[in-house]
């Protein structure tokens, strides 16, 4: 669990975070009904915020460690670090129930950006891959919106509900 009150690349680890319906993570610079990422605000400040919560699978950190990238929770801007959930295989609009009350709807993939290289040189390329057909794989996590708020903490169970229409994730 991580958040940052100011716009910064990395987020500070927290013992728990509070999710607010329609807004995101309480106290996080990216919380809000409309876009908060600076580049998106410059294009259209009234655009809906589909990037309220950033989730990354801890298995990515495991994959990157032998390549010399040693990451800690919050380092690459994620709010929630999961383990045992194949985030990248989820379809758009999958719902994640976390803990007792909180519910998220997955909106798309995080598109790795050059800020990753500013954190550790070569990290952006390390978060990209190719599948057997040569299609680009973006490994830097998924983005979501908050459907129902609540407090969540490390170790809280995550239950997944898949949508009937299983559209693949695309960058948001």
């Amino acid at each position: 669990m991580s958040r940052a009150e100011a716009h910064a690349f990395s987020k500070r680890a927290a013992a728990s975070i509070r999710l607010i319906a329609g807004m995101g993570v309480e106290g996080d610079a990216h919380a809000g009904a409309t876009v908060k990422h600076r580049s998106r605000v410059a294009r259209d400040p009234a655009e809906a915020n589909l990037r309220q919560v950033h989730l990354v699978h801890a298995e990515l950190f495991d994959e990157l460690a032998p390549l010399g990238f040693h990451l800690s929770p919050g380092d690459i801007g994620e709010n929630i670090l999961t383990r045992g959930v194949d985030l990248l295989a989820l379809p758009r609009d999958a719902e994640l129930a976390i803990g007792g009350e909180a519910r998220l709807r997955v909106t798309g993939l995080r598109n790795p950006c050059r800020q990753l290289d500013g954190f550790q040189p070569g990290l952006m390329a390390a978060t990209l891959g190719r599948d057997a057909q040569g299609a680009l794989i973006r490994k830097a996590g998924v983005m979501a919106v908050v459907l129902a708020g609540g407090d969540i903490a490390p170790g809280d169970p995550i239950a997944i509900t898949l949508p009937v229409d299983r559209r693949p994730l695309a960058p948001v």
Side-chain angles (χ1 to χ4, degrees), residues 1 37 46 57 64 69 95 118 137 168:
M1 307 295 142
H37 288 77
H57 50 294
L64 295 173
F69 301 101
E95 290 188 18
I137 300 171

Side-chain angles (χ1 to χ4, degrees), residues 45-145:
E47 180 182 341
N49 187 2
L50 301 178
R51 300 167 58 106
Q52 294 174 356
V53 181
H54 178 200
L55 298 95
V56 171
H57 50 294
E59 292 83 357
L60 175 64
F61 289 13
D62 299 341
E63 176 185 332
L64 295 173
L67 303 175
F69 301 101
H70 300 286
L71 302 172
S72 297
D75 276 353
I76 61 172
E78 77 282 359
N79 300 108
I80 300 171
L81 189 63
T82 67
R83 184 166 293 281
V85 178
D86 192 353
L87 295 172
L88 303 181
L90 294 173
R92 188 171 1 155
D93 296 327
E95 290 188 18
L96 306 176
I98 306 175
E101 302 173 358
R103 278 190 10 257
L104 303 176
R105 179 176 54 85
V106 176
T107 56
L109 294 166
R110 176 191 182 187
N111 199 19
C113 67
R114 66 177 180 244
Q115 287 182 315
L116 290 166
D117 285 341
F119 183 72
Q120 289 186 27
L123 185 56
M124 181 176 153
T127 62
L128 296 169
R130 298 273 175 192
D131 66 15
Q133 292 74 38
L136 186 63
I137 300 171
R138 293 168 175 88
K139 303 177 189 179
V142 300
M143 306 306 289
V145 295

